[in-house]
Amino acid sequence: MPFPSSPRARSGPRRRTLLAVGPAALALAGCTAGGDGPDAPEGGPSVAERRARARAARDSEGLVERYDAVITAHPGLAERLRPLREESVRHARAFGGGPGRKTSPSPSATAVPGSDKDALAALAAAERELADRRAKALLDVPGELARLMASVAAAGAAHVYLLTEGGA
């Protein structure tokens, strides 16, 4: 006699799988802060590449600020959000940003919705927008940086899943 399927059966990957795959994907993509890959010009990274890396680092640092603001406003979400926040810190470092340095939060980062559900939705929207922007930008950057941006954009898409469907 077959057993009935679980009423909580979910489609898609499990949260632990996505969290384990993110760092591995970054490692396989060759996350480095320097532009010393085979596509780099003789004198190092171009001005355009340095600008793209700096913007990507700032964007990741902005996400860290958003995670910090939500964790502060909704401490009950801290355990769920901390791994995603830490991965955003690693992304900032991979692009050459600071080691999760604390800056004054931007006004958009401090405006946290009142409910847990709305706060998660706002984080998911920020992750989705940034992942989409990075996916478009990777067409305009050299090989090594394009691989890194693609990997981080994929991690951002996984974060969206975890923030919307992968939790509770």
Side-chain angles (χ1 to χ4, degrees):
M1 172 179 211
F3 292 104
S5 63
S6 168
R8 284 194 40 119
R10 294 185 183 155
S11 63
R14 296 187 182 278
R15 181 189 309 189
R16 287 187 181 111
T17 303
L18 288 170
L19 288 174
V21 169
L26 288 174
L28 288 175
C31 290
T32 62
D36 54 347
D39 298 334
E42 268 312 300
S46 68
V47 171
E49 182 179 353
R50 286 193 305 270
R51 285 184 184 147
R53 282 182 177 278
R55 178 177 179 160
R58 281 191 312 272
D59 288 343
S60 290
E61 290 165 356
L63 275 177
V64 172
E65 289 177 4
R66 286 180 171 268
Y67 278 104
D68 288 343
V70 171
I71 289 169
T72 298
H74 300 278
L77 295 174
E79 184 177 332
R80 179 177 178 183
L81 297 179
R82 197 164 284 116
L84 302 178
R85 180 205 179 274
E86 292 306 314
E87 194 163 280
S88 294
V89 169
R90 286 191 295 275
H91 295 163
R93 288 179 184 155
F95 287 118
R101 67 179 183 259
K102 207 58 173 148
T103 59
S104 59
S106 64
S108 63
T110 57
V112 177
S115 74
D116 287 1
K117 182 179 178 182
D118 290 343
L120 292 173
L123 277 174
E127 287 273 13
R128 182 179 295 113
E129 185 273 328
L130 184 53
D132 290 347
R133 193 165 13 114
R134 284 180 171 158
K136 289 177 187 170
L138 67 88
L139 299 173
D140 299 322
V141 295
E144 184 67 25
L145 181 55
R147 287 186 289 276
L148 176 58
M149 286 185 126
S151 179
V152 173
H159 288 187
V160 171
Y161 173 80
L162 292 171
L163 291 165
T164 56
E165 300 173 25

